[in-house]
Amino acid sequence: MSVFSRLATSVAVACLIAAPAMAQDAEAIRTAKTLRDRALEGTIAYDVVEQITTRFGPRMAGTDSERAAAAWGEEFMTGLGLQNVRVHEFPLAVWNRGVEQVEVLSPFPQPLTVTALGGAMATPAEGVTGEAVIFRTYQDLLDQPEGALEGKIAVVLQDTPRAQDGRGYGSTSVIRFQGPTEAARRGAVGFLLRSLGPTITASPTPAPPRSATTRFPPSPSVRPTPTSWRAWPP
């Protein structure tokens, strides 16, 4: 068989393989368009989000509001005609949110609106006081050597870029995931970051700071910072 005929055969085989894939893609596109059109005819998706967020509010795992939301969801989906709707129960360790309070003491005292990161350690009963070291970006914090923040509170002001596909949030989530540990590695006694969400400047009542989780790697050489918050200025 010549080189030309082998090439022609290869192209023919490739076309035969590609044809079903293209047909399948076309069918998937038609199905997606049908689902989209049906969704636009009603408000059921928004109704679910509205009920979950306004009726039950925060729904941390293991809390009464989480269980109430699960029971409501089971009833709601059953009412839609869905089958095999069940609520599964399983044991888990629960982190309880306490009372959060952060204040700037000097030179101009003012309170901050804050929420603790999920999984953050509690402060001692007397709280934590320290000099705030401001970092415009998370990288500025990482550039500090170990021990540079001994006894201080690290504050990262990096903002979240606006993006419809969510990449802005994804690019800054590392701050809450690893920031407290990196601050502790440098001797900090507390960690504060700007709320990872778009800044709402037009609203007279800005959105409250959004909560999410943080995590601490098991390392005997690094003691996690006892406080980790997201904050908005008042």
Short mmCIF file of all heavy atoms in Angstrom, two decimals, residues 68-133:
data_model
loop_
_atom_site.label_atom_id
_atom_site.label_comp_id
_atom_site.label_asym_id
_atom_site.label_seq_id
_atom_site.Cartn_x
_atom_site.Cartn_y
_atom_site.Cartn_z
N ALA A 68 -33.73 21.16 58.88
CA ALA A 68 -35.04 21.67 58.45
C ALA A 68 -35.07 21.88 56.94
O ALA A 68 -36.08 21.59 56.28
CB ALA A 68 -35.35 22.98 59.18
N ALA A 69 -33.96 22.37 56.38
CA ALA A 69 -33.89 22.58 54.94
C ALA A 69 -33.95 21.25 54.20
O ALA A 69 -34.57 21.14 53.13
CB ALA A 69 -32.61 23.33 54.58
N ALA A 70 -33.30 20.23 54.75
CA ALA A 70 -33.32 18.91 54.12
C ALA A 70 -34.74 18.34 54.12
O ALA A 70 -35.19 17.77 53.11
CB ALA A 70 -32.37 17.97 54.85
N ALA A 71 -35.45 18.50 55.23
CA ALA A 71 -36.83 18.00 55.30
C ALA A 71 -37.71 18.75 54.31
O ALA A 71 -38.57 18.15 53.65
CB ALA A 71 -37.36 18.17 56.72
N TRP A 72 -37.51 20.06 54.21
CA TRP A 72 -38.29 20.83 53.24
C TRP A 72 -37.97 20.39 51.81
O TRP A 72 -38.86 20.25 50.98
CB TRP A 72 -37.98 22.32 53.40
CG TRP A 72 -38.62 23.15 52.33
CD1 TRP A 72 -39.89 23.66 52.33
CD2 TRP A 72 -38.04 23.54 51.08
NE1 TRP A 72 -40.13 24.34 51.16
CE2 TRP A 72 -39.02 24.29 50.37
CE3 TRP A 72 -36.79 23.32 50.49
CZ2 TRP A 72 -38.78 24.82 49.11
CZ3 TRP A 72 -36.55 23.86 49.22
CH2 TRP A 72 -37.53 24.60 48.56
N GLY A 73 -36.70 20.17 51.53
CA GLY A 73 -36.31 19.75 50.19
C GLY A 73 -36.93 18.41 49.82
O GLY A 73 -37.37 18.22 48.67
N GLU A 74 -36.98 17.49 50.78
CA GLU A 74 -37.60 16.19 50.51
C GLU A 74 -39.08 16.35 50.18
O GLU A 74 -39.58 15.78 49.20
CB GLU A 74 -37.43 15.28 51.73
CG GLU A 74 -38.03 13.90 51.54
CD GLU A 74 -37.90 13.04 52.79
OE1 GLU A 74 -37.84 13.63 53.90
OE2 GLU A 74 -37.86 11.82 52.67
N GLU A 75 -39.78 17.16 50.95
CA GLU A 75 -41.20 17.40 50.71
C GLU A 75 -41.42 18.11 49.37
O GLU A 75 -42.33 17.77 48.61
CB GLU A 75 -41.79 18.22 51.85
CG GLU A 75 -43.28 18.51 51.71
CD GLU A 75 -43.82 19.34 52.85
OE1 GLU A 75 -43.05 19.64 53.78
OE2 GLU A 75 -45.01 19.70 52.81
N PHE A 76 -40.58 19.09 49.10
CA PHE A 76 -40.73 19.88 47.87
C PHE A 76 -40.51 19.01 46.63
O PHE A 76 -41.30 19.05 45.68
CB PHE A 76 -39.73 21.05 47.88
CG PHE A 76 -39.84 21.96 46.70
CD1 PHE A 76 -40.80 22.96 46.66
CD2 PHE A 76 -38.98 21.82 45.62
CE1 PHE A 76 -40.91 23.81 45.57
CE2 PHE A 76 -39.07 22.66 44.53
CZ PHE A 76 -40.04 23.66 44.50
N MET A 77 -39.45 18.22 46.62
CA MET A 77 -39.16 17.39 45.45
C MET A 77 -40.18 16.28 45.28
O MET A 77 -40.52 15.90 44.15
CB MET A 77 -37.74 16.84 45.56
CG MET A 77 -36.67 17.89 45.34
SD MET A 77 -34.98 17.22 45.24
CE MET A 77 -34.71 16.82 46.97
N THR A 78 -40.68 15.75 46.39
CA THR A 78 -41.72 14.74 46.29
C THR A 78 -42.98 15.34 45.68
O THR A 78 -43.66 14.71 44.86
CB THR A 78 -42.03 14.15 47.67
OG1 THR A 78 -40.83 13.57 48.22
CG2 THR A 78 -43.11 13.10 47.59
N GLY A 79 -43.26 16.58 46.08
CA GLY A 79 -44.42 17.28 45.51
C GLY A 79 -44.30 17.55 44.02
O GLY A 79 -45.30 17.69 43.32
N LEU A 80 -43.08 17.59 43.52
CA LEU A 80 -42.86 17.78 42.09
C LEU A 80 -43.05 16.49 41.30
O LEU A 80 -43.01 16.52 40.07
CB LEU A 80 -41.45 18.31 41.84
CG LEU A 80 -41.14 19.73 42.33
CD1 LEU A 80 -39.67 20.06 42.09
CD2 LEU A 80 -42.04 20.75 41.64
N GLY A 81 -43.23 15.39 42.01
CA GLY A 81 -43.42 14.12 41.33
C GLY A 81 -42.15 13.31 41.19
O GLY A 81 -42.16 12.26 40.53
N LEU A 82 -41.06 13.75 41.80
CA LEU A 82 -39.83 12.99 41.73
C LEU A 82 -39.93 11.74 42.59
O LEU A 82 -40.60 11.74 43.63
CB LEU A 82 -38.65 13.86 42.19
CG LEU A 82 -38.40 15.14 41.38
CD1 LEU A 82 -37.26 15.93 41.99
CD2 LEU A 82 -38.10 14.80 39.92
N GLN A 83 -39.26 10.69 42.18
CA GLN A 83 -39.32 9.43 42.90
C GLN A 83 -38.02 9.16 43.64
O GLN A 83 -36.97 9.74 43.34
CB GLN A 83 -39.61 8.28 41.92
CG GLN A 83 -40.94 8.42 41.18
CD GLN A 83 -41.17 7.28 40.21
OE1 GLN A 83 -40.27 6.52 39.91
NE2 GLN A 83 -42.40 7.20 39.70
N ASN A 84 -38.12 8.28 44.65
CA ASN A 84 -36.95 7.85 45.42
C ASN A 84 -36.25 9.02 46.11
O ASN A 84 -35.01 9.09 46.19
CB ASN A 84 -35.94 7.10 44.54
CG ASN A 84 -36.55 5.86 43.91
OD1 ASN A 84 -37.32 5.16 44.55
ND2 ASN A 84 -36.21 5.61 42.66
N VAL A 85 -37.03 9.98 46.58
CA VAL A 85 -36.47 11.12 47.30
C VAL A 85 -36.30 10.72 48.76
O VAL A 85 -37.26 10.34 49.42
CB VAL A 85 -37.38 12.36 47.19
CG1 VAL A 85 -36.78 13.53 47.97
CG2 VAL A 85 -37.60 12.73 45.74
N ARG A 86 -35.07 10.78 49.25
CA ARG A 86 -34.81 10.37 50.63
C ARG A 86 -33.79 11.32 51.26
O ARG A 86 -32.96 11.90 50.57
CB ARG A 86 -34.26 8.94 50.68
CG ARG A 86 -35.25 7.89 50.22
CD ARG A 86 -34.67 6.50 50.37
NE ARG A 86 -33.49 6.32 49.51
CZ ARG A 86 -33.55 5.95 48.25
NH1 ARG A 86 -34.72 5.75 47.67
NH2 ARG A 86 -32.45 5.79 47.54
N VAL A 87 -33.86 11.43 52.59
CA VAL A 87 -32.87 12.18 53.35
C VAL A 87 -31.99 11.16 54.06
O VAL A 87 -32.49 10.36 54.86
CB VAL A 87 -33.52 13.13 54.37
CG1 VAL A 87 -32.46 13.79 55.23
CG2 VAL A 87 -34.35 14.18 53.66
N HIS A 88 -30.72 11.17 53.78
CA HIS A 88 -29.79 10.23 54.41
C HIS A 88 -29.14 10.89 55.62
O HIS A 88 -28.71 12.04 55.54
CB HIS A 88 -28.71 9.79 53.42
CG HIS A 88 -29.23 8.94 52.31
ND1 HIS A 88 -29.38 7.58 52.41
CD2 HIS A 88 -29.66 9.27 51.07
CE1 HIS A 88 -29.87 7.09 51.28
NE2 HIS A 88 -30.04 8.11 50.45
N GLU A 89 -29.05 10.18 56.70
CA GLU A 89 -28.40 10.68 57.90
C GLU A 89 -27.08 9.95 58.11
O GLU A 89 -26.97 8.75 57.84
CB GLU A 89 -29.30 10.51 59.12
CG GLU A 89 -30.59 11.33 59.05
CD GLU A 89 -31.38 11.25 60.34
OE1 GLU A 89 -30.91 10.56 61.28
OE2 GLU A 89 -32.45 11.87 60.41
N PHE A 90 -26.09 10.69 58.59
CA PHE A 90 -24.77 10.09 58.83
C PHE A 90 -24.06 10.93 59.88
O PHE A 90 -24.32 12.14 60.02
CB PHE A 90 -23.95 10.03 57.54
CG PHE A 90 -23.89 11.34 56.81
CD1 PHE A 90 -22.90 12.26 57.08
CD2 PHE A 90 -24.85 11.65 55.86
CE1 PHE A 90 -22.85 13.47 56.41
CE2 PHE A 90 -24.81 12.86 55.17
CZ PHE A 90 -23.81 13.77 55.45
N PRO A 91 -23.17 10.33 60.65
CA PRO A 91 -22.44 11.08 61.69
C PRO A 91 -21.37 11.97 61.08
O PRO A 91 -20.77 11.63 60.05
CB PRO A 91 -21.82 9.97 62.54
CG PRO A 91 -21.65 8.83 61.59
CD PRO A 91 -22.81 8.90 60.65
N LEU A 92 -21.14 13.11 61.70
CA LEU A 92 -20.07 14.00 61.26
C LEU A 92 -19.68 14.92 62.40
O LEU A 92 -20.46 15.15 63.33
CB LEU A 92 -20.50 14.83 60.06
CG LEU A 92 -21.47 16.00 60.27
CD1 LEU A 92 -21.48 16.89 59.04
CD2 LEU A 92 -22.88 15.52 60.57
N ALA A 93 -18.46 15.42 62.34
CA ALA A 93 -17.99 16.39 63.32
C ALA A 93 -18.50 17.77 62.93
O ALA A 93 -18.37 18.17 61.77
CB ALA A 93 -16.46 16.38 63.39
N VAL A 94 -19.08 18.48 63.88
CA VAL A 94 -19.72 19.76 63.59
C VAL A 94 -18.91 20.90 64.19
O VAL A 94 -18.48 20.84 65.35
CB VAL A 94 -21.16 19.78 64.15
CG1 VAL A 94 -21.81 21.14 63.90
CG2 VAL A 94 -21.99 18.68 63.52
N TRP A 95 -18.66 21.91 63.39
CA TRP A 95 -18.00 23.14 63.84
C TRP A 95 -19.08 24.16 64.14
O TRP A 95 -19.94 24.45 63.31
CB TRP A 95 -17.06 23.65 62.76
CG TRP A 95 -16.35 24.93 63.08
CD1 TRP A 95 -15.20 25.08 63.79
CD2 TRP A 95 -16.74 26.25 62.70
NE1 TRP A 95 -14.85 26.41 63.87
CE2 TRP A 95 -15.78 27.16 63.21
CE3 TRP A 95 -17.82 26.77 61.98
CZ2 TRP A 95 -15.86 28.53 63.02
CZ3 TRP A 95 -17.91 28.14 61.78
CH2 TRP A 95 -16.93 29.01 62.30
N ASN A 96 -19.08 24.71 65.35
CA ASN A 96 -20.09 25.68 65.76
C ASN A 96 -19.52 27.09 65.69
O ASN A 96 -18.44 27.37 66.22
CB ASN A 96 -20.57 25.39 67.18
CG ASN A 96 -21.38 24.11 67.26
OD1 ASN A 96 -22.24 23.86 66.43
ND2 ASN A 96 -21.08 23.28 68.25
N ARG A 97 -20.27 27.98 65.05
CA ARG A 97 -19.87 29.37 64.96
C ARG A 97 -20.19 30.08 66.27
O ARG A 97 -21.30 30.01 66.79
CB ARG A 97 -20.61 30.06 63.81
CG ARG A 97 -20.20 31.52 63.57
CD ARG A 97 -20.97 32.08 62.39
NE ARG A 97 -20.70 31.31 61.19
CZ ARG A 97 -19.59 31.41 60.47
NH1 ARG A 97 -18.65 32.28 60.83
NH2 ARG A 97 -19.40 30.67 59.40
N GLY A 98 -19.22 30.78 66.82
CA GLY A 98 -19.45 31.52 68.05
C GLY A 98 -19.80 32.97 67.77
O GLY A 98 -20.31 33.32 66.71
N VAL A 99 -19.50 33.82 68.72
CA VAL A 99 -19.75 35.26 68.57
C VAL A 99 -18.49 35.91 68.02
O VAL A 99 -17.40 35.73 68.55
CB VAL A 99 -20.12 35.89 69.92
CG1 VAL A 99 -20.33 37.40 69.78
CG2 VAL A 99 -21.40 35.24 70.47
N GLU A 100 -18.64 36.67 66.94
CA GLU A 100 -17.50 37.30 66.29
C GLU A 100 -17.48 38.80 66.58
O GLU A 100 -18.51 39.46 66.48
CB GLU A 100 -17.54 37.08 64.77
CG GLU A 100 -17.58 35.62 64.37
CD GLU A 100 -18.81 35.28 63.57
OE1 GLU A 100 -19.88 35.88 63.85
OE2 GLU A 100 -18.72 34.41 62.69
N GLN A 101 -16.33 39.30 66.93
CA GLN A 101 -16.18 40.73 67.19
C GLN A 101 -14.73 41.13 66.91
O GLN A 101 -13.80 40.56 67.47
CB GLN A 101 -16.54 41.08 68.64
CG GLN A 101 -16.43 42.56 68.95
CD GLN A 101 -16.82 42.87 70.40
OE1 GLN A 101 -17.28 41.98 71.13
NE2 GLN A 101 -16.65 44.10 70.80
N VAL A 102 -14.56 42.11 66.05
CA VAL A 102 -13.23 42.63 65.71
C VAL A 102 -13.30 44.15 65.74
O VAL A 102 -14.23 44.74 65.19
CB VAL A 102 -12.77 42.14 64.33
CG1 VAL A 102 -11.40 42.75 63.99
CG2 VAL A 102 -12.70 40.62 64.29
N GLU A 103 -12.32 44.76 66.36
CA GLU A 103 -12.27 46.21 66.45
C GLU A 103 -10.87 46.73 66.14
O GLU A 103 -9.88 46.09 66.49
CB GLU A 103 -12.65 46.68 67.87
CG GLU A 103 -14.06 46.34 68.30
CD GLU A 103 -14.31 46.80 69.73
OE1 GLU A 103 -13.92 46.05 70.65
OE2 GLU A 103 -14.86 47.90 69.91
N VAL A 104 -10.84 47.88 65.49
CA VAL A 104 -9.59 48.63 65.38
C VAL A 104 -9.50 49.49 66.64
O VAL A 104 -10.39 50.27 66.94
CB VAL A 104 -9.59 49.53 64.13
CG1 VAL A 104 -8.33 50.38 64.09
CG2 VAL A 104 -9.71 48.68 62.87
N LEU A 105 -8.41 49.34 67.39
CA LEU A 105 -8.28 50.04 68.68
C LEU A 105 -7.63 51.41 68.54
O LEU A 105 -7.97 52.33 69.29
CB LEU A 105 -7.47 49.17 69.65
CG LEU A 105 -8.07 47.78 69.96
CD1 LEU A 105 -7.18 47.03 70.92
CD2 LEU A 105 -9.49 47.92 70.53
N SER A 106 -6.68 51.55 67.62
CA SER A 106 -6.00 52.83 67.47
C SER A 106 -5.37 52.89 66.07
O SER A 106 -5.15 51.84 65.45
CB SER A 106 -4.92 53.02 68.55
OG SER A 106 -3.88 52.05 68.37
N PRO A 107 -5.11 54.08 65.52
CA PRO A 107 -5.28 55.39 66.17
C PRO A 107 -6.72 55.91 66.12
O PRO A 107 -7.05 56.87 66.81
CB PRO A 107 -4.35 56.28 65.36
CG PRO A 107 -4.38 55.67 64.00
CD PRO A 107 -4.47 54.20 64.21
N PHE A 108 -7.58 55.27 65.29
CA PHE A 108 -8.97 55.71 65.19
C PHE A 108 -9.87 54.51 65.43
O PHE A 108 -10.10 53.71 64.52
CB PHE A 108 -9.24 56.32 63.81
CG PHE A 108 -8.30 57.44 63.45
CD1 PHE A 108 -7.30 57.23 62.51
CD2 PHE A 108 -8.41 58.68 64.06
CE1 PHE A 108 -6.42 58.25 62.18
CE2 PHE A 108 -7.54 59.70 63.74
CZ PHE A 108 -6.55 59.50 62.80
N PRO A 109 -10.37 54.33 66.65
CA PRO A 109 -11.17 53.15 67.00
C PRO A 109 -12.41 53.02 66.12
O PRO A 109 -13.11 54.01 65.86
CB PRO A 109 -11.55 53.40 68.46
CG PRO A 109 -10.52 54.35 68.96
CD PRO A 109 -10.18 55.23 67.80
N GLN A 110 -12.66 51.81 65.67
CA GLN A 110 -13.89 51.53 64.93
C GLN A 110 -14.09 50.02 64.86
O GLN A 110 -13.13 49.26 64.80
CB GLN A 110 -13.85 52.12 63.52
CG GLN A 110 -12.76 51.55 62.63
CD GLN A 110 -12.86 52.07 61.22
OE1 GLN A 110 -13.93 52.08 60.62
NE2 GLN A 110 -11.74 52.52 60.66
N PRO A 111 -15.36 49.59 64.87
CA PRO A 111 -15.64 48.16 64.74
C PRO A 111 -15.60 47.73 63.28
O PRO A 111 -15.78 48.55 62.38
CB PRO A 111 -17.05 48.03 65.31
CG PRO A 111 -17.68 49.36 64.99
CD PRO A 111 -16.58 50.39 65.10
N LEU A 112 -15.38 46.46 63.05
CA LEU A 112 -15.43 45.87 61.71
C LEU A 112 -16.57 44.86 61.66
O LEU A 112 -16.88 44.21 62.66
CB LEU A 112 -14.11 45.18 61.36
CG LEU A 112 -12.85 46.04 61.32
CD1 LEU A 112 -11.64 45.18 60.98
CD2 LEU A 112 -13.00 47.17 60.32
N THR A 113 -17.19 44.75 60.50
CA THR A 113 -18.21 43.73 60.29
C THR A 113 -17.51 42.47 59.80
O THR A 113 -16.90 42.48 58.73
CB THR A 113 -19.24 44.20 59.24
OG1 THR A 113 -19.82 45.42 59.68
CG2 THR A 113 -20.32 43.15 59.05
N VAL A 114 -17.58 41.41 60.57
CA VAL A 114 -16.79 40.22 60.27
C VAL A 114 -17.61 38.95 60.40
O VAL A 114 -18.69 38.94 61.02
CB VAL A 114 -15.56 40.11 61.22
CG1 VAL A 114 -14.66 41.31 61.07
CG2 VAL A 114 -16.02 39.93 62.66
N THR A 115 -17.09 37.90 59.84
CA THR A 115 -17.60 36.55 60.08
C THR A 115 -16.41 35.61 60.08
O THR A 115 -15.44 35.82 59.35
CB THR A 115 -18.63 36.13 59.02
OG1 THR A 115 -19.22 34.88 59.39
CG2 THR A 115 -17.99 35.97 57.64
N ALA A 116 -16.47 34.62 60.94
CA ALA A 116 -15.34 33.68 61.06
C ALA A 116 -15.34 32.69 59.91
O ALA A 116 -16.39 32.26 59.43
CB ALA A 116 -15.42 32.94 62.39
N LEU A 117 -14.16 32.33 59.46
CA LEU A 117 -14.03 31.26 58.49
C LEU A 117 -14.38 29.93 59.14
O LEU A 117 -13.99 29.66 60.27
CB LEU A 117 -12.60 31.21 57.94
CG LEU A 117 -12.15 32.38 57.08
CD1 LEU A 117 -10.67 32.22 56.73
CD2 LEU A 117 -12.98 32.49 55.82
N GLY A 118 -15.12 29.11 58.42
CA GLY A 118 -15.49 27.81 58.95
C GLY A 118 -14.26 26.97 59.28
O GLY A 118 -13.34 26.87 58.49
N GLY A 119 -14.26 26.38 60.46
CA GLY A 119 -13.14 25.57 60.89
C GLY A 119 -12.05 26.34 61.60
O GLY A 119 -11.07 25.75 62.05
N ALA A 120 -12.21 27.68 61.71
CA ALA A 120 -11.19 28.48 62.38
C ALA A 120 -11.18 28.18 63.87
O ALA A 120 -12.20 27.83 64.47
CB ALA A 120 -11.46 29.96 62.15
N MET A 121 -10.01 28.32 64.49
CA MET A 121 -9.87 28.11 65.92
C MET A 121 -10.48 29.27 66.69
O MET A 121 -10.47 30.41 66.23
CB MET A 121 -8.39 27.95 66.29
CG MET A 121 -7.73 26.72 65.72
SD MET A 121 -6.00 26.64 66.21
CE MET A 121 -6.14 26.54 67.99
N ALA A 122 -10.99 29.00 67.86
CA ALA A 122 -11.53 30.05 68.71
C ALA A 122 -10.40 30.83 69.37
O ALA A 122 -9.31 30.31 69.59
CB ALA A 122 -12.44 29.45 69.77
N THR A 123 -10.68 32.07 69.70
CA THR A 123 -9.72 32.87 70.46
C THR A 123 -9.78 32.48 71.92
O THR A 123 -10.75 31.87 72.38
CB THR A 123 -10.03 34.36 70.34
OG1 THR A 123 -11.29 34.62 70.97
CG2 THR A 123 -10.10 34.80 68.90
N PRO A 124 -8.77 32.86 72.70
CA PRO A 124 -8.89 32.72 74.15
C PRO A 124 -10.04 33.61 74.65
O PRO A 124 -10.52 34.50 73.93
CB PRO A 124 -7.54 33.23 74.68
CG PRO A 124 -6.62 33.16 73.51
CD PRO A 124 -7.46 33.39 72.29
N ALA A 125 -10.48 33.39 75.87
CA ALA A 125 -11.61 34.15 76.41
C ALA A 125 -11.33 35.65 76.40
O ALA A 125 -12.24 36.45 76.21
CB ALA A 125 -11.91 33.67 77.83
N GLU A 126 -10.08 36.04 76.60
CA GLU A 126 -9.74 37.46 76.63
C GLU A 126 -9.54 38.05 75.25
O GLU A 126 -9.27 39.25 75.09
CB GLU A 126 -8.48 37.68 77.47
CG GLU A 126 -7.21 37.09 76.89
CD GLU A 126 -7.02 35.63 77.26
OE1 GLU A 126 -7.98 35.00 77.76
OE2 GLU A 126 -5.90 35.11 77.05
N GLY A 127 -9.66 37.22 74.20
CA GLY A 127 -9.48 37.71 72.85
C GLY A 127 -8.02 37.79 72.45
O GLY A 127 -7.12 37.33 73.17
N VAL A 128 -7.75 38.36 71.29
CA VAL A 128 -6.41 38.51 70.77
C VAL A 128 -6.19 39.96 70.38
O VAL A 128 -7.03 40.56 69.70
CB VAL A 128 -6.18 37.62 69.53
CG1 VAL A 128 -4.87 37.96 68.85
CG2 VAL A 128 -6.21 36.14 69.92
N THR A 129 -5.11 40.54 70.82
CA THR A 129 -4.76 41.92 70.49
C THR A 129 -3.36 41.94 69.88
O THR A 129 -2.45 41.28 70.39
CB THR A 129 -4.79 42.83 71.73
OG1 THR A 129 -6.10 42.77 72.31
CG2 THR A 129 -4.48 44.27 71.35
N GLY A 130 -3.21 42.66 68.80
CA GLY A 130 -1.89 42.74 68.17
C GLY A 130 -1.86 43.83 67.13
O GLY A 130 -2.90 44.34 66.69
N GLU A 131 -0.68 44.20 66.75
CA GLU A 131 -0.51 45.20 65.70
C GLU A 131 -0.93 44.60 64.36
O GLU A 131 -0.54 43.48 64.02
CB GLU A 131 0.95 45.64 65.62
CG GLU A 131 1.24 46.62 64.50
CD GLU A 131 2.71 46.94 64.37
OE1 GLU A 131 3.49 46.51 65.25
OE2 GLU A 131 3.09 47.62 63.39
N ALA A 132 -1.74 45.34 63.60
CA ALA A 132 -2.19 44.87 62.30
C ALA A 132 -1.14 45.19 61.24
O ALA A 132 -0.69 46.32 61.12
CB ALA A 132 -3.52 45.51 61.93
N VAL A 133 -0.74 44.17 60.49
CA VAL A 133 0.20 44.35 59.39
C VAL A 133 -0.59 44.20 58.10
O VAL A 133 -1.17 43.13 57.84
CB VAL A 133 1.34 43.33 59.45
CG1 VAL A 133 2.33 43.56 58.32
CG2 VAL A 133 2.05 43.41 60.80
#
